[in-house]
Amino acid sequence: MSRTSPHTHLPSGEVSRRGLLKTAGGITAALALGATATATTADAAPATFTHPGMLHNWGDINRAKVRVAAGDEPWLSGWNRLTANSHSQSTWTARPQATVYRGTGYPENYSILYNDIAAAYQNALRWQVAGTAANGDCAVRILNAWANTLTSIQGTADRFLAAGIYGWEFCQAAELMRGYAGFDLNKFKQMMLNVFYPMNNDFLVRHNGACITNYWANWDLCTMASIMAIGILCDDGAKYDQAVNYFKTGAGNGSIARAVPYLYTDSAGYALGQWQESGRDQGHTIMGMGQMGAICEMAWNQGDDLYSYDNRRFMKAAQYVAKYNLGMDVPFTTYTWGSGTTCSQQTQTVISSNSRGQIRPVWAMLHFHYNRRLFLDDKYISQMYYNLVAPEGGGGDYGSTSGGYDQLGFGTLMYAK
């Protein structure tokens, strides 16, 4: 497959964002990157992938390392949330399963997987930020244990959610431990390619045999995030392109135009975008901010700007969701879609107040991108983060059910600028 780097048309002498990422080191480079760098509109996989280049780049890691060591806020408060979490302890013991089940009517055990992923990720963060070998060793033990054990993900349609959410999250820990002594990266890649990706691809192509609009936006988004993460982890441009192209033009509800079907401007002049799940409930709506945010952040760290795609359509959605969950009114246009296998028409006429104001660790990533990287007025996102979330925790801090593990969190530590 022949691809062109999205940076081939930069003016002579201008350093591409990807090149800057590769050379950035220390707090100065990290801060400069956050303040000045821009990314191109995604149209092709990078000629060479940046590593680490998913939710975190070297600039993020170096900044957190330097700021925590200096005792600076808010990084220190974010670090304290991490070290207080039981999942981040180096004594965590993995419980790998050969088959993971998610869905009613099955012996569900998927909570074992999402708890182990949270532990692998949190221990990987502690290793990267503080250099504690015990945490690095623990993360690797978890990653290797699952890579050598897991053979399938089964269950009802919910198995596709498991393959999507836990697929992209698992890759984050592996990316942070790339090159660590004893980590069998190739074995882990094989697990992602043989267990997770086939399910991700099947869902995005077939949608479990249902009408293309049957599944909520999050189903597509977690699937796209997993495909993108696997593409980066495995240096596979075709998979990366698959996720980016679906974000831009996909037929399902995870593509940007379908995920944000209606646009508005409020009385204060802020642009808002109605989220596809807003008439369903606010828990899943806020989940969507985390799933789409993960896609945008991973693409950004590969030099592609999906955050700003289609005139910052995602930012408008995040402002809309934040404003409503802060207790303010937002407009709502009747939403109609086809469901089931026959595309029977369903309609929502009002925004749902169910789970309104739910706290999930998704807002730091969005605030520090739009406000601190791009210097935009993100009034409602900012209020959501500072008034309700900061400092942001992660898996294990927001309840024991799966909703508390749908995002990895710790954005205060890793994104504050």
Side-chain angles (χ1 to χ4, degrees):
M1 177 179 178
S2 175
R3 297 185 301 277
T4 301
S5 167
H7 298 294
T8 53
H9 302 294
L10 287 167
S12 177
E14 183 174 335
V15 179
S16 75
R17 182 170 186 282
R18 183 170 297 103
L20 182 58
L21 278 173
K22 287 180 177 178
T23 58
I27 189 66
T28 301
L31 294 177
L33 177 63
T36 64
T38 58
T40 62
T41 299
D43 56 7
T48 302
F49 283 94
T50 295
H51 298 293
M54 292 190 203
L55 291 187
H56 312 301
N57 58 54
W58 279 130
D60 296 331
I61 294 167
N62 289 338
R63 181 182 58 245
K65 185 181 301 185
V66 171
R67 293 297 197 177
V68 169
D72 295 339
E73 292 291 356
W75 298 271
L76 183 61
S77 292
W79 174 253
N80 288 339
R81 290 219 71 176
L82 173 63
T83 57
N85 193 305
S86 63
H87 294 76
S88 80
Q89 309 310 309
S90 62
T91 53
W92 187 275
T93 301
R95 292 195 292 156
Q97 308 291 305
T99 302
V100 165
Y101 295 93
R102 177 167 177 167
T104 57
Y106 293 85
E108 288 192 311
N109 62 352
Y110 71 102
S111 65
I112 296 173
L113 176 57
Y114 66 64
N115 275 280
D116 275 3
I117 290 173
Y121 174 73
Q122 292 178 30
N123 273 276
L125 279 187
R126 291 189 67 169
W127 153 249
Q128 289 288 358
V129 175
T132 45
N135 293 110
D137 292 345
C138 179
V140 164
R141 285 196 302 271
I142 298 168
L143 296 171
N144 285 345
W146 280 92
N148 283 289
T149 306
L150 183 66
T151 58
S152 67
I153 300 172
Q154 302 291 333
T156 60
D158 282 3
R159 69 190 184 277
F160 292 110
L161 280 177
I165 298 169
Y166 311 135
W168 76 260
E169 289 185 342
F170 225 163
C171 284
Q172 306 305 316
E175 180 78 348
L176 290 173
M177 300 312 297
R178 180 186 291 267
Y180 192 92
F183 176 34
D184 193 342
L185 177 59
N186 288 331
K187 186 76 172 182
F188 189 89
K189 287 180 179 179
Q190 289 307 306
M191 176 182 68
M192 300 311 302
L193 292 170
N194 296 331
V195 178
F196 288 86
Y197 177 74
M199 296 184 68
N200 300 152
N201 181 64
D202 184 65
F203 182 80
L204 215 55
V205 172
R206 297 182 56 255
H207 281 82
N208 200 30
C211 178
I212 189 64
T213 57
N214 178 73
Y215 288 96
W216 302 103
N218 274 305
W219 290 68
D220 277 357
L221 289 170
C222 69
T223 300
M224 294 151 61
S226 183
I227 291 173
M228 178 177 282
I230 293 168
I232 296 170
L233 186 76
C234 299
D235 297 289
D236 187 329
K239 291 178 175 56
Y240 179 88
D241 284 346
Q242 181 182 10
V244 169
N245 291 338
Y246 204 95
F247 177 95
K248 296 167 70 173
T249 62
N253 288 322
S255 63
I256 185 66
R258 290 184 176 275
V260 192
Y262 304 109
L263 302 176
Y264 315 95
T265 301
D266 70 9
S267 59
Y270 289 94
L272 307 175
Q274 182 173 316
W275 186 252
Q276 190 263 343
E277 300 194 47
S278 294
R280 180 190 184 192
D281 64 65
Q282 296 309 304
H284 287 96
T285 295
I286 295 170
M287 175 188 175
M289 301 302 97
Q291 303 295 310
M292 186 169 278
I295 293 169
C296 291
E297 187 67 19
M298 287 190 285
W300 177 269
N301 283 328
Q302 295 303 327
D304 295 320
D305 190 359
L306 296 183
Y307 275 119
S308 296
Y309 185 75
D310 195 8
N311 197 25
R312 299 194 188 97
R313 198 176 187 98
F314 178 43
M315 180 182 180
K316 296 170 185 176
Q319 286 274 81
Y320 177 97
V321 173
K323 184 176 183 180
Y324 183 69
N325 282 278
L326 285 164
M328 292 176 266
D329 293 332
V330 294
F332 186 86
T333 299
T334 295
Y335 179 70
T336 303
W337 74 101
S339 69
T341 57
T342 61
C343 289
S344 61
Q345 184 169 295
Q346 305 292 320
T347 301
Q348 293 167 339
T349 58
V350 296
I351 192 169
S352 173
S353 61
N354 186 24
S355 303
R356 191 176 188 181
Q358 184 179 98
I359 304 301
R360 289 185 179 230
V362 306
W363 298 103
M365 180 189 298
L366 307 186
H367 167 63
F368 288 111
H369 175 79
Y370 288 117
N371 186 268
R372 300 298 177 87
R373 278 179 181 153
L374 303 187
F375 303 104
L376 299 173
D377 182 354
D378 66 336
K379 177 180 178 179
Y380 306 118
I381 297 170
S382 176
Q383 289 181 15
M384 194 74 183
Y385 171 65
Y386 288 110
N387 295 355
L388 298 180
V389 180
E392 211 172 69
D397 292 323
Y398 301 92
S400 60
T401 59
S402 61
Y405 294 82
D406 287 340
Q407 46 282 307
L408 293 169
F410 300 106
T412 300
L413 171 65
M414 299 308 297
Y415 298 118
K417 297 174 180 64

